Amino acid sequence: EHEHYELLELIDREIERISAIIHQMYQLYRRSPQRASTFSLSQVVVEVVYLLEGAAGKRGVKLQFETPNQAIDVELAEGEVKQILYNLLRNAIQASPAGAAVELRIDEQGGYVIVNVADRGPGIPGEIAPRIFDPFFTTKHGASESGMGLGLSVSRSLIEAMGGRIEVSNRSDGGTIFSVVFPQRLEVLPVSSDE
């Protein structure tokens, strides 16, 4: 009956996701994929935006996401999808100057769902573009923003294991667009028996 009761379920799921992140750090190169389930991708985007609103507010960055008119359901590993979107949105917030907006958009295209995360930061210089997905590569050096350089590496590993991809481009008017191309459903490969 508490006004924020519905947030308890979100908090519980986030604790489970944090546990999974720690597990991923130990198994960066030895994945143990999560089980797929059917869920609303737009709802997951709403939850990730909610989780990062405080960080965006501290930097003076606005998060803009217009919820699609119809539900876009996918059959994927929800925790992994959330982790990918969290990493990309967090990077976009950190790259954006105060007063700027980070825009999120969802599109469907031929069995795939594309989530675009666009920032108004400085863009990605050509000389470091080939390295941004390398483990432990980071351009963040401030005490409050320094990371381990695993976010993009883990995100690319997760999305490729789902049969999707991440595309990156610099905006002509400044900033970067990360496009995460998710398959609508996880294709489970048959287990081969060597016995």
Side-chain angles (χ1 to χ4, degrees), residues 48-87:
V48 171
V49 167
Y50 182 80
L51 290 169
L52 286 167
E53 276 180 339
K58 284 181 186 172
R59 294 185 58 87
V61 174
K62 291 186 166 102
L63 302 179
Q64 296 178 343
F65 173 61
E66 191 172 316
T67 310
N69 293 332
Q70 79 248 15
I72 299 177
D73 289 339
V74 294
E75 188 179 335
L76 300 168
E78 184 176 355
E80 293 180 357
V81 169
K82 192 176 281 191
Q83 187 59 46
I84 292 165
L85 297 175
Y86 184 92
N87 289 344

Side-chain angles (χ1 to χ4, degrees), residues 10 12 33 37 44 53 91-92 94 100 136 140 157 177:
L10 175 62
D12 189 45
S37 62
V44 165
E53 276 180 339
N91 284 353
Q94 291 174 347
F136 306 108
K140 301 170 196 161
S157 173
I177 301 175

Side-chain angles (χ1 to χ4, degrees), residues 94-115:
Q94 291 174 347
S96 297
V102 173
E103 302 154 13
L104 293 98
R105 193 179 79 238
I106 298 180
D107 295 310
E108 287 184 273
Q109 187 177 351
Y112 289 90
V113 180
I114 304 161
V115 179

Side-chain angles (χ1 to χ4, degrees), residues 11-46:
I11 292 167
D12 189 45
R13 288 196 316 260
E14 288 309 303
I15 290 170
E16 289 179 24
R17 188 176 63 83
I18 290 167
S19 174
I21 292 168
I22 293 167
H23 185 67
Q24 285 175 13
M25 288 180 62
Y26 285 116
Q27 296 191 344
L28 183 60
Y29 295 103
R30 254 182 356 147
R31 289 191 69 243
S32 57
Q34 295 177 6
R35 203 171 278 240
S37 62
T38 301
F39 60 92
S40 165
L41 184 61
S42 50
Q43 179 59 37
V44 165
V45 174
V46 167

Side-chain angles (χ1 to χ4, degrees), residues 76 84 88 107 109 111-116 159-160 162-167 178-184:
L76 300 168
I84 292 165
L88 294 179
D107 295 310
Q109 187 177 351
Y112 289 90
V113 180
I114 304 161
V115 179
N116 293 300
I159 190 71
E160 287 179 352
M162 291 179 199
R165 65 190 183 279
I166 298 178
E167 300 171 349
F178 279 82
S179 300
V180 190
V181 183
F182 292 102
Q184 286 204 280

